[in-house]
Structures are given as C-alpha cells and as structure tokens.
Amino acid sequence: MKNVRIRIVFTAVASAVFCSAGARTQAQSTSRTITPADCTAARLGTGLPISAIGEPVSAVTLEAPRWVEATRGLPAYCTVNGSMAPVDRAPTARPINFQVAFPSTWSGRAAQLGGGGMNGSIPALTGNPFGQGFVTYGSDSGHQAGGAGGGGRGGFGGGRGARAGGGTSATNPDDWALNDEAIRNLGYMQLKKTHDAALVLIERMYGARPTFNYFIGSSQGGREALTVAQRYPQDYDGVAANVPIVGFSSLMLARALNRIQAVQLSSRRPQTITELPLGQEFEGGTWNSDGVIVFAAGRAASPASQVEITTGFPVIISCDAIACTLFANKAAKEVKADV
C-alpha cells in the first residue's frame, strides 16, 4: 500500500470507518465484477512463487476455487483455499492454511480478518465487511486447532481447522508450540505471509490490487491488528483493533490470579499438578516478589515417575514448554507433579 501512516481504530463500531472509506473508493474507482467463469484454477493458478511472500516459506499451493451463489443477503462469490509450507521440516512444524473470498461485485477494498483465542482455524470471512463488497482473507496462523485452538470473526460455517495434509499431529495436536517457526508465525509472520498471498490472488482475479486494504480483529485478532500496525504498516490503510490481547500471559493466568484473590488462604487446599510436559522433571525454583515460584526444566524423567516438590506454598499452576509457574497457596504443604 502507498500510505505508511495508517489509522488505528479501537472501537466496536469500526465498520463506520470502512463505510466512509468505501464512499471514497467508489468515487475514485469503478467496481469490478466476476462470474463463475472467472472462478477457475486457470485464472487463479495452482500455486504462488515463494518470492512473492515477504516472510520465509518453502512452497505455496492452492486448492481448486469454488463458486458460491448469492444467498441470505450475501453476494455470490468465489473462494479459494491455500497452504504455505514451513521452511522447517521438523515433525512439529505446521503449514499456514489460508482462504480468500472474492465477491462477485468488488468495491476495490480488501480486509484481512484476525483470529481469536489461540487461533488454529481460518476465520469466517463472509460477515461484515464482505457484504459491503470487500475481498476478505485470513489464515489459521500456522497451526491447526487442537486442545488450544480458537476461532476468528465471521467463515464458511465457523472457520476451518486442519484439512487433509494440514499437518496436525494425531498424538499431540499442540506440539506446534515447541516449534520456533510456528511460534513466530503465530506472533507475526503469518500476518505478512497471508497478506502477501492474498494480494497476489486479488490481482489475478480482478486485474488490480486493492485501493484500500485494512486489518480487522478482536481479542487475539486485536493483538494481531496492533502487530501489523507495528511491523507492516506499509501494507494497510487502517486497522481496527478491538479488545486486543496485549497482556497475553496475564490473560492466560487470569483465572488463577482471580482465585488467589477471592479465596481465603485458610480455605485453600493442595492440588495435584497434571499439566507438566511428559518426559521432563521440574525441580528447584526461585521465588519472586509476587509470591510466585518458577520451576525451570531439569533432567529427563520417565513418564511414569513422580517428583515430589515440597515448598509449603504453591498449588495453582500454569505450564508451557519451558517452565511451570506455580502460584502461592500458603496453606499447602506439598505438591505432587505427575511427569
């Protein structure tokens, strides 16, 4: 996009901004139309060159596009799904599944839609602003929903998770979180990759790139909106960041923190920790000023073994692949960790 100074909107009524921008667009350019005859692999292709993607991928493939007739107030449209293969070949690596929806009458505008929760599925694309003539596009952010999946705003029956060849592990669908490339994709890279792929396809479909391109997201998608404003401002004319998750760790621990504040110390009871990663042993630890102990990963241990952690305090736990954070319960005497 031409304009590096983008507009950031923190509001639930951001559609008003895009409606006003739409009036300018229609005044400046003529709408373009497509028909079922345009919704073909001959027009969109079966893949994209990796040189067109601004962050590293090893391949971009496209499924056959499909045409959907107008229904329930929605215009007819063409939709295509694609997949971007990771550079990393480790078993924990995942592709980025993405989707683009092309309305039959295009206003010259486009919007990338953010995800929700921990992502893992393609957001629904046919709500607003798609009905206003926008091309809409989004991705699953580079992993497929398992135990920690999420969802986005608005797509075809509520968003798509893993498809055939999508890369989800049958034994551990969340082991993508152990992969550095997948984590970087979630954090920021998938946003650029999806944007770049979508704009190539828009140009292939309509013969032109968008006059205006936006990012719209809530929650995790709101965090993504702030991320593109920071990292890729040249790609957007505006972003709508609704209730963005900017304190992600605090949000994930919110229930534990609320429980600590709400329950009297004398009424708390020890709990068994069941969330420690298999094959790792957590021992030792350091208190900080907030009354939290962080146990760093130690030597390998048998999945059947148990480690007795005796601190006299912690009972509430939040684990990731690196460490477990145990929140203080001063009525507890010990905690057993099933490893």
Side-chain angles (χ1 to χ4, degrees):
M1 307 307 291
K2 304 174 292 300
N3 191 357
V4 177
R5 298 180 61 189
I6 64 176
R7 177 182 295 179
I8 304 176
V9 181
F10 297 92
T11 174
V13 293
S15 59
V17 174
F18 304 112
C19 288
S20 63
R24 290 186 296 157
T25 303
Q26 292 180 348
Q28 294 175 8
S29 62
T30 303
S31 296
R32 298 171 185 260
T33 60
I34 57 173
T35 68
D38 300 309
C39 191
T40 64
R43 189 175 189 113
L44 290 177
T46 58
L48 301 176
I50 61 175
S51 59
I53 310 302
E55 295 284 2
V57 298
S58 61
V60 184
T61 57
L62 302 174
E63 296 181 5
R66 63 186 180 93
W67 182 265
V68 180
E69 295 294 344
T71 181
R72 296 180 181 178
L74 288 177
Y77 62 93
C78 178
T79 178
V80 66
N81 284 82
S83 181
M84 288 180 267
V87 175
D88 190 356
R89 296 303 184 186
T92 54
R94 297 288 188 274
I96 299 170
N97 295 325
F98 67 94
Q99 190 169 25
V100 185
F102 308 93
S104 56
T105 300
W106 183 45
S107 66
R109 295 169 289 167
Q112 183 172 357
L113 304 185
M118 284 294 289
N119 293 341
S121 62
I122 297 172
L125 302 179
T126 55
N128 282 328
F130 177 79
Q132 301 172 11
F134 280 67
V135 169
T136 51
Y137 57 97
S139 81
D140 62 10
S141 83
H143 65 273
Q144 292 67 52
R153 61 184 304 278
F156 313 105
R160 297 167 61 103
R163 301 190 310 277
T168 300
S169 167
T171 56
N172 185 359
D174 293 328
D175 65 358
W176 63 269
L178 303 177
N179 186 277
D180 286 346
E181 183 178 358
I183 290 295
R184 289 195 297 272
N185 278 335
L186 173 65
Y188 65 97
M189 288 200 307
Q190 57 93 7
L191 301 166
K192 176 63 172 173
K193 295 175 184 181
T194 302
H195 165 276
D196 290 355
L199 263 64
V200 172
L201 291 172
I202 291 170
E203 188 168 17
R204 286 182 181 179
M205 176 60 78
Y206 299 106
R209 293 209 166 194
T211 305
F212 293 95
N213 185 55
Y214 303 99
F215 192 102
I216 306 172
S218 299
S219 191
Q220 179 73 258
R223 191 276 306 171
E224 292 171 337
L226 297 182
T227 299
V228 300
Q230 180 184 39
R231 289 181 176 268
Y232 311 113
Q234 70 280 1
D235 289 340
Y236 303 90
D237 296 287
V239 302
N242 301 318
V243 291
I245 300 173
V246 292
F248 191 72
S249 297
S250 296
L251 179 65
M252 294 299 101
L253 297 173
R255 292 181 181 179
L257 294 170
N258 289 340
R259 191 179 309 162
I260 288 173
Q261 296 298 321
V263 180
Q264 294 295 319
L265 289 176
S266 60
S267 65
R268 295 178 188 164
R269 296 291 182 268
Q271 299 177 16
T272 298
I273 301 170
T274 59
E275 299 182 37
L276 288 174
L278 294 179
Q280 293 185 357
E281 180 176 320
F282 291 79
E283 59 184 17
T286 303
W287 285 99
N288 65 23
S289 59
D290 297 321
V292 177
I293 262 191
V294 177
F295 290 86
R299 64 182 183 276
S302 165
S305 69
Q306 283 194 334
V307 179
E308 190 94 347
I309 302 174
T310 304
T311 66
F313 299 108
V315 293
I316 300 173
I317 184 169
S318 174
C319 287
D320 58 26
I322 304 301
C324 286
T325 301
L326 303 171
F327 283 84
N329 177 345
K330 296 186 178 180
K333 296 303 180 185
E334 62 186 27
V335 175
K336 288 185 177 181
D338 297 325
V339 182

